[in-house]
Amino acid sequence: MTVSRHSPDRGPSLGPALGPSQDIVTRFAPSPTGLLHLGHAHSALVSARLAEAAGGRFLLRLEDIDVGRCRPEFETAILEDLAWLGLSWPAPVWRQSARMAAYRAALDRLEAMGLLYPCFCTRKDIQAEIAASPSAPHGPDGPLYPGTCRALDPAERADRIAAGHPHALRLDVAAALARMPGPLLWHDRAAGEQTARPALFGDVVLARKDIPTSYHLAVTVDDAAQGVTLVTRGQDLFAATHVHRLLQALLDLPVPAYHHHGLLTDEAGRRLAKRDNARALRTLREAGASPAEARAMAGVPDGNPRTA
Ligand code: GLU
């Protein structure tokens, strides 16, 4: 198992930026949609070690907004597997499913600023619109939303909502950026100072049709509400931070530091996935691996405060 990285290796040092005086709070925020594998173990251990080395706190948060995909048995397995791995965290564990009122309050605030619009498009509508314009701009997740519903007139919007047409809420990113007095910065411990490019994903969905929030909104609101000062997560979520930085500015939230760690890959260089049960912590455990062996396989061996 290897840890891949897109940014230069700064080695095993924890770096001078962190110290107990800064009250480091890190977190691991899995979604209970499957069993944890070695990649999750890597993420959780990096996060816990960073907190430990700085005399700070490590939190666990269950990101269970997607009720259709989350399962109580995966939640139980997450808690058991992390404890087996040797991790501990303060109770109570935050569950995003219990935080809908906080997300609603954030949406209300953005709505009052005139920065949200209802989007009635189906996936098919969006695909058709994109197919019709060959130069559609792309973001990290593929083609950007073409903005169809941004231009709907208010009466039409009101009619559709009154008629009960399902809709998501999107952020009008251009309007949001126009309110910013200057560039938005954030700091990544590996990649250094970043200037946010929140338009990267286009007009992101902040409340889904089926769920009254979204990943971007919930994670930003909760990291602030839990006092997280160092967001630790995989490099696959690096680009999302550009959007989160804009949401922090719009919602007057504190700006944490970030540590986007390298991703664990298999022998063929592929990222580990939840469906890859061979690398599930549970499977390793049942096959007789010890927690210390699992920590080493996850790229965070004992006695080496590795923060890859
Ligand atoms: N819940 C997300 C996941 O399981 C991680 C969110 C984050 O760390 O920002 O991929």
Side-chain angles (χ1 to χ4, degrees):
M1 215 69 46
T2 348
V3 181
S4 75
R5 58 179 76 244
H6 309 295
S7 45
D9 189 354
R10 296 270 172 102
S13 155
L14 290 171
L18 299 177
S21 58
Q22 289 172 285
D23 190 20
I24 293 302
V25 182
T26 66
R27 60 21 167 221
F28 175 56
S31 301
T33 55
L35 290 172
L36 295 185
H37 55 58
L38 284 170
H40 296 107
H42 180 77
S43 197
L45 287 164
V46 165
S47 183
R49 293 269 171 97
L50 282 169
E52 197 186 320
R57 279 181 302 140
F58 163 72
L59 307 177
L60 175 65
R61 181 172 72 230
L62 294 167
E63 303 217 320
D64 58 349
I65 57 172
D66 194 340
V67 282
R69 293 176 58 223
C70 294
R71 301 266 179 279
E73 57 271 28
F74 289 136
E75 199 174 301
T76 309
I78 286 174
L79 300 178
E80 282 176 13
D81 291 349
L82 291 177
W84 173 76
L85 206 53
L87 297 176
S88 58
W89 50 87
V93 171
W94 277 40
R95 276 187 179 70
Q96 291 193 322
S97 54
R99 300 263 310 144
M100 293 299 168
Y103 310 142
R104 185 65 252 171
L107 289 169
D108 288 346
R109 209 164 147 182
L110 296 169
E111 183 107 61
M113 293 160 88
L115 297 179
L116 298 184
Y117 63 87
C119 173
F120 303 91
C121 294
T122 61
R123 230 166 253 213
K124 241 177 152 171
D125 295 335
I126 298 174
Q127 275 162 6
E129 184 89 16
I130 288 166
S133 85
S135 61
H138 278 57
D141 290 344
L144 301 186
Y145 176 64
T148 324
C149 287
R150 198 192 310 122
L152 277 186
D153 79 56
E156 169 84 24
R157 276 182 188 158
D159 283 353
R160 290 204 199 177
I161 291 174
H165 291 189
H167 62 277
L169 293 175
R170 287 186 183 270
L171 179 68
D172 184 337
V173 174
L177 283 173
R179 296 176 73 105
M180 296 297 121
L184 299 169
L185 305 176
W186 55 279
H187 181 77
D188 181 89
R189 291 188 69 239
E193 212 63 41
Q194 303 292 310
T195 301
R197 288 179 291 135
L200 211 57
F201 289 88
D203 286 354
V204 283
V205 168
L206 293 188
R208 287 165 42 166
K209 277 184 184 168
D210 54 336
I211 300 168
T213 185
S214 70
Y215 161 66
H216 292 306
L217 184 72
V219 83
T220 307
V221 167
D222 282 353
D223 280 335
Q226 289 193 279
V228 171
T229 61
L230 178 62
V231 171
T232 52
R233 58 185 172 207
Q235 260 164 2
D236 53 330
L237 289 169
F238 189 97
T241 305
H242 291 292
V243 177
H244 303 175
R245 183 64 191 86
L246 176 61
L247 292 175
Q248 287 154 3
L250 293 170
L251 296 167
D252 289 321
L253 302 176
V255 184
Y258 289 84
H259 179 90
H260 293 97
H261 59 73
L263 301 176
L264 225 56
T265 53
D266 64 14
E267 299 73 13
R270 280 181 309 243
R271 254 182 72 188
L272 304 186
K274 273 188 179 151
R275 59 185 175 278
D276 187 4
N277 277 340
R279 266 118 188 168
L281 293 180
R282 198 136 284 229
T283 314
L284 296 172
R285 187 173 153 187
E286 281 162 12
S290 70
E293 282 163 347
R295 291 192 288 270
M297 288 171 82
V300 191
D302 296 350
N304 173 8
R306 189 173 168 143
T307 59

